[in-house]
């Protein structure tokens, strides 16, 4: 059985939650490898959405051991809220959820620091989710981060917390002695409540790989939000690409057999930063309304635009993608015309691939191919042959333009509203056979 990484190819919210849930049915392990509660991964059953922020999207499947890896930044408050919400919905959580003690913890001063930096940036703010993600990762890199393990050793935690307080007090990010005691006590208690969830994620992964378990690695955010390979500085603070799974989980790269990329049939972005194919005005609004494009974490309206093959070719390469799951085809059902950005015009050149220069993001003009829309509902379609001819042609243009096989087309938010072209698990995954459209 293979190890499969599932990553977002755009600026997040591609529908990773739905795809991970779907393929978790046959999985032994589902492991979230980076990010934190900035993520909002939606799973929808019979019209009822369930949004996960930290807990892996395999949690509805009891046979799947769900792990939160060392590279995730954990807000204990958010974690326990999520556990409580799931339990209130009758979902069994504790028996198959594990958390790495190496995961870094988000503290109240991380959120304060993020607000402080965003305010200082003024009009150039990133539009973060306000969850303390960037400062927590910054503390990790500066070696002043606090890990779940530290919460279990109060004297050590006190020492480390007091260093952070001393360092950050000058900026007004931490409070007085009373607030120190309050945070210290609250997080010691969090540590005790987290203890039962502790898991040796690296060992479980190694043993799973050695046993030949079916393992899903769940990415959060998307490639264009990667701290190095995205639209810096308008990015998140972790490695969202498949390589992020390797470093965050301590998993040898040779163990990852497949990378499945989730691609929305158009493009969205929340927060600031360049977006060459963004559509403004009534058409952009129609996309937002049709796709219900409002953030699953913050509720913010998402910016919308056409699909961008130049940006996607970059994502395909940096992730080593060998299968595509194209989502939200149905959200384009009503459009007279649909457009695909095939190349950029930039400084007199036509580019099919993204150069490294950051200026390309803001200066490039998209070159579009236009197609007549299919103007027929595809909602819930689950056989490829039942898709309208024009929708199939649209998919073909994307697949041929990217040179990667199509594994799945999602035609609605719910489980069952998808066309599966390749099984993720089973014989097709074990041998040399590649995915191909039959
Ligand atoms: P994620 O962060 O990548 O997991 O994506 P989000 O959950 O933030 O956003 C995707 C949204 O689209 C959610 O509301 C999903 O329920 C919904 N969704 C996923 N796939 C489809 C689809 O094929 N069609 C439609 N209409 N909605 C979908
Ligand atoms: P999922 O996993 C979409 C965006 C924020 C902001 C930038 C930095 O649901 O796809 P951060 O809080 O991470 O420091 O914000 O990244 N962002 C996301 N956009 N989906 C997400 O996650 C995101 N997580 C962060 O809007 O622009
Ligand atoms: Mg999301």
């Amino acid at each position: 059985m293979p190890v499969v990484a599932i990553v977002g190819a755009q600026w997040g919210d591609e529908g990773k939650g739905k795809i991970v849930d779907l393929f978790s049915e046959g999985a032994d392990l589902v492991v979230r490898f980076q990010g934190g509660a900035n993520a909002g991964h939606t799973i929808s059953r019979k019209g009822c959405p369930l949004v996960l922020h930290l807990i892996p999207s395999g949690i509805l499947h009891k046979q799947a051991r769900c792990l939160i890896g060392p590279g995730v930044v954990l807000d204990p408050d958010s974690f326990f809220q999520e556990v409580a919400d799931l339990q209130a919905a009758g979902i069994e959580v504790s028996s198959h959820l594990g958390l790495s003690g190496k995961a870094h913890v988000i503290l109240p001063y991380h959120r304060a620091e993020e607000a402080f930096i965003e305010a200082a940036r003024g009009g150039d703010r990133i539009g973060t989710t306000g969850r303390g993600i960037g400062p927590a990762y910054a503390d990790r890199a500066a070696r002043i981060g606090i890990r779940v393990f530290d919460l279990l050793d109060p004297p050590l935690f006190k020492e480390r917390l007091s260093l952070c307080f001393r360092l950050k007090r000058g900026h007004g990010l931490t409070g007085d002695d009373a607030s120190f005691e309050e945070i210290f006590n609250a997080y010691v208690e969090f540590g005790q409540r987290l203890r039962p969830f502790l898991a040796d994620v690296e060992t479980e992964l190694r043993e799973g790989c050695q046993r030949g378990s079916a393992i899903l690695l769940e990415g959060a955010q998307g490639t264009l939000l990667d701290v190095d390979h995205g639209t810096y500085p308008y990015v998140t603070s972790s490695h969202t690409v498949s390589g992020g799974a390797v470093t965050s989980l301590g998993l040898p790269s040779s163990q990852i057999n497949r990378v499945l990329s989730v691609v929305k049939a158009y493009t969205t972005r929340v927060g600031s930063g360049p977006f060459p194919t963004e559509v403004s005005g009534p058409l952009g609004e129609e996309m937002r309304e049709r796709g219900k494009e409002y953030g699953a974490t913050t509720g913010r309206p998402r910016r919308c635009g056409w699909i961008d093959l130049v940006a996607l070719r970059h994502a395909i390469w940096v992730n080593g993608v060998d299968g595509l799951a194209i989502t939200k085809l149905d959200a384009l059902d009503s459009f007279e015309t649909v457009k695909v950005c095939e190349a950029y015009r930039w400084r007199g050149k036509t580019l099919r691939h993204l150069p490294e220069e950051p200026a390309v993001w803001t200066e490039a003009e998209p070159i579009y191919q236009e197609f007549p829309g299919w103007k027929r509902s595809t909602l819930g379609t689950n056989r490829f042959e039942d898709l309208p001819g024009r929708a199939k042609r649209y998919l073909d243009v994307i697949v041929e333009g990217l040179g990667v096989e199509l594994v799945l087309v999602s035609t609605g938010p719910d489980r069952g509203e998808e066309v599966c072209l390749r099984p993720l698990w089973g014989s097709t995954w074990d041998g040399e056979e590649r995915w191909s459209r039959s």
Side-chain angles (χ1 to χ4, degrees), residues 12-17 38-42 51-52 221 295-297 302:
D13 303 328
E14 296 89 350
K16 298 175 293 294
N38 49 349
H41 294 181
T42 314
V51 182
L52 298 164
Q221 290 82 53
T297 296
R302 296 174 181 151

Side-chain angles (χ1 to χ4, degrees), residues 12-18 40-42 44 296 302 327-330 410-413:
D13 303 328
E14 296 89 350
K16 298 175 293 294
K18 169 172 174 169
H41 294 181
T42 314
S44 181
R302 296 174 181 151
T327 58
K328 303 193 87 160
L329 184 71
D330 56 294
S410 177
T411 55

Side-chain angles (χ1 to χ4, degrees), residues 31 51 67 102 171 213-214 263 270 318 375 387 406 415 438:
V31 192
V51 182
L67 298 172
K102 284 182 167 184
H171 297 284
S213 301
V263 176
V270 203
V318 298
K375 306 267 297 171
L387 289 172
L406 185 60
R415 182 69 192 275
S438 42

